Amino acid sequence: MEHTDRNEDEEHVSDETHQEKHNGCAKTTADPFYVRLLFTPLDFVSMAFLSITLVPIRMVAAFIALTLAWAVSCIGLTNIDQTVPVSGWRKPLQWISCFLGRICCRCCGFSVTITGTQVPKSVAPVLVVAPHSSFFDALAIFWTGLPFIVNREENKNLLFIGKCVQFAQAIFVSRERKESREECKEEIKRRVNSKQPWEQFLIFPEGTTSNRKALMSFKPGGFLPGKPVQPVLIRYHLKHDTVSWTWDQPHGFIACFMYTMCQLRNKVELEFLPPYEPSEPEQMDPVLFASNVRREMSDALGIPLCDMSYEDIKNEYSKKKKQ
């Protein structure tokens, strides 16, 4: 299995005993949910120094940018009709919100480079982003022009962030309610097929996070409209994989965030692949469409496929916690 970052490989799989075999994953695939950070004493000294010099400045700047984005979003949400795309005086406010989102990412030390060319909505109305490994992957939203996304219902009321996500006209869904999931699918098809000037639709089709060592199963939601999609690859070029936030790691959200903030620079690349035009059978079968796009992205990334769904992973790790 090929890897784009040898340092990441060494941290994810420190020895062969952690190359567990999951149902649906290739036998030679390193555990796609295993993350361990192996910092050297020099790394700790560097992070300690940055935590008292650079990180406070970054956090203040990020807080100011986030507060401004929240304020702009609150203004834009005043008497808004979410059934139609944002227009008029609200559109410049969305651009400002997107710019402030980029500032927040840069305050976390991210340096984003773009490979390839993003095509307009008229060519590919759907952006398919993978592999999904972290909440930091949200940076793809800001560097693709603030497309609308699908988000969890509970995020709607998050402090500061909730208003920003609402103003970006996200589709909110509850995973637990079948009615909500069906409504979400219909709204995706309505917007993508609409002649109104909706932004592109961006989706993380895996529906869960991994350590980027394998590509998880794709959910068919973004492929339901049967329209051309543009695959977008996220590649993190890091000395230590501080960004991954997945199922098998001893550190949680706060440690993941702080370790990343304490790095001088976090290089990330967004690679736009050529648009994928679905065949007639793929237009009729979103599962087939998703599977073929997934395989193309897997080949471009040089990583294997893992056919575990979010439900499979959740059940497996729920059992492990009970043991």
Side-chain angles (χ1 to χ4, degrees):
M1 182 176 66
E2 296 178 9
H3 298 281
T4 58
D5 191 319
R6 180 172 293 178
N7 287 306
E8 287 186 18
D9 184 35
E10 291 172 352
E11 293 199 342
H12 287 314
V13 188
S14 57
D15 57 64
E16 294 183 359
T17 60
H18 292 299
Q19 295 187 358
E20 299 176 5
K21 300 176 181 64
H22 289 282
N23 293 331
C25 292
K27 290 184 179 179
T28 56
T29 303
D31 185 343
F33 311 110
Y34 179 87
V35 178
R36 296 294 185 274
L37 294 172
L38 305 176
F39 294 120
T40 66
L42 185 60
D43 291 326
F44 282 113
V45 171
S46 174
M47 288 191 293
F49 176 74
L50 291 175
S51 69
I52 60 176
T53 55
L54 184 58
V55 171
I57 298 172
R58 283 179 169 177
M59 294 189 75
V60 170
F63 180 74
I64 292 173
L66 181 58
T67 302
L68 289 173
W70 170 81
V72 165
S73 298
C74 287
I75 294 170
L77 286 169
T78 305
N79 297 323
I80 192 174
D81 181 0
Q82 293 282 30
T83 63
V84 296
V86 163
S87 60
W89 60 270
R90 290 186 174 89
K91 200 63 186 177
L93 293 183
Q94 267 196 342
W95 297 336
I96 294 172
S97 177
C98 182
F99 173 73
L100 292 169
R102 290 191 180 193
I103 290 179
C104 288
C105 293
R106 293 193 184 281
C107 288
C108 292
F110 287 107
S111 174
V112 182
T113 58
I114 302 296
T115 305
T117 303
Q118 180 180 354
V119 300
K121 180 189 174 184
S122 58
V123 177
V126 180
L127 300 172
V128 179
V129 184
H132 188 25
S133 62
S134 174
F135 47 87
F136 286 121
D137 293 346
L139 61 84
I141 298 168
F142 305 120
W143 266 266
T144 53
L146 206 66
F148 73 89
I149 61 172
V150 171
N151 211 314
R152 296 186 301 174
E153 183 71 33
E154 50 266 39
N155 291 344
K156 194 172 186 177
N157 298 313
L158 281 177
L159 184 63
F160 292 114
I161 296 174
K163 293 295 183 184
C164 298
V165 177
Q166 289 181 51
F167 188 44
Q169 297 197 291
I171 300 172
F172 291 96
V173 62
S174 171
R175 281 178 169 174
E176 287 69 34
R177 292 194 303 110
K178 183 179 179 180
E179 299 81 6
S180 178
R181 297 196 299 270
E182 293 303 316
E183 290 170 2
C184 176
K185 292 176 183 178
E186 292 304 314
E187 182 63 10
I188 290 171
K189 290 190 285 185
R190 184 186 77 83
R191 293 191 188 186
V192 172
N193 291 316
S194 173
K195 293 182 179 180
Q196 293 179 308
W198 288 100
E199 295 292 338
Q200 286 175 295
F201 172 45
L202 183 147
I203 189 167
F204 297 96
E206 292 167 287
T208 189
T209 54
S210 69
N211 59 21
R212 302 184 300 283
K213 298 306 177 186
L215 206 56
M216 301 298 108
S217 296
F218 278 12
K219 291 183 178 294
F223 305 89
L224 288 169
K227 298 291 185 181
V229 304
Q230 182 170 27
V232 183
L233 310 179
I234 299 184
R235 301 179 189 270
Y236 289 96
H237 304 293
L238 310 170
K239 180 181 179 182
H240 299 285
D241 183 17
T242 59
V243 300
S244 287
W245 188 40
T246 185
W247 297 84
D248 185 5
Q249 59 186 66
H251 57 287
F253 171 85
I254 295 177
C256 186
F257 181 79
M258 290 306 301
Y259 283 148
T260 302
M261 287 282 284
C262 289
Q263 305 304 310
L264 186 61
R265 189 181 183 194
N266 299 300
K267 295 182 181 180
V268 58
E269 175 188 359
L270 295 179
E271 180 180 356
F272 291 91
L273 299 183
Y276 187 102
E277 184 85 31
S279 64
E280 189 171 332
E282 288 172 329
Q283 291 176 12
M284 302 299 294
D285 186 351
V287 175
L288 174 65
F289 187 7
S291 177
N292 290 341
V293 171
R294 176 182 174 229
R295 188 167 297 279
E296 184 169 292
M297 296 179 74
S298 170
D299 291 341
L301 288 162
I303 60 176
L305 302 175
C306 181
D307 293 327
M308 295 181 72
S309 66
Y310 168 78
E311 290 74 18
D312 295 332
I313 301 164
K314 185 178 180 180
N315 289 336
E316 178 168 332
Y317 280 91
S318 295
K319 291 177 182 176
K320 284 187 177 182
K321 287 181 179 180
K322 292 177 180 179
Q323 291 176 355

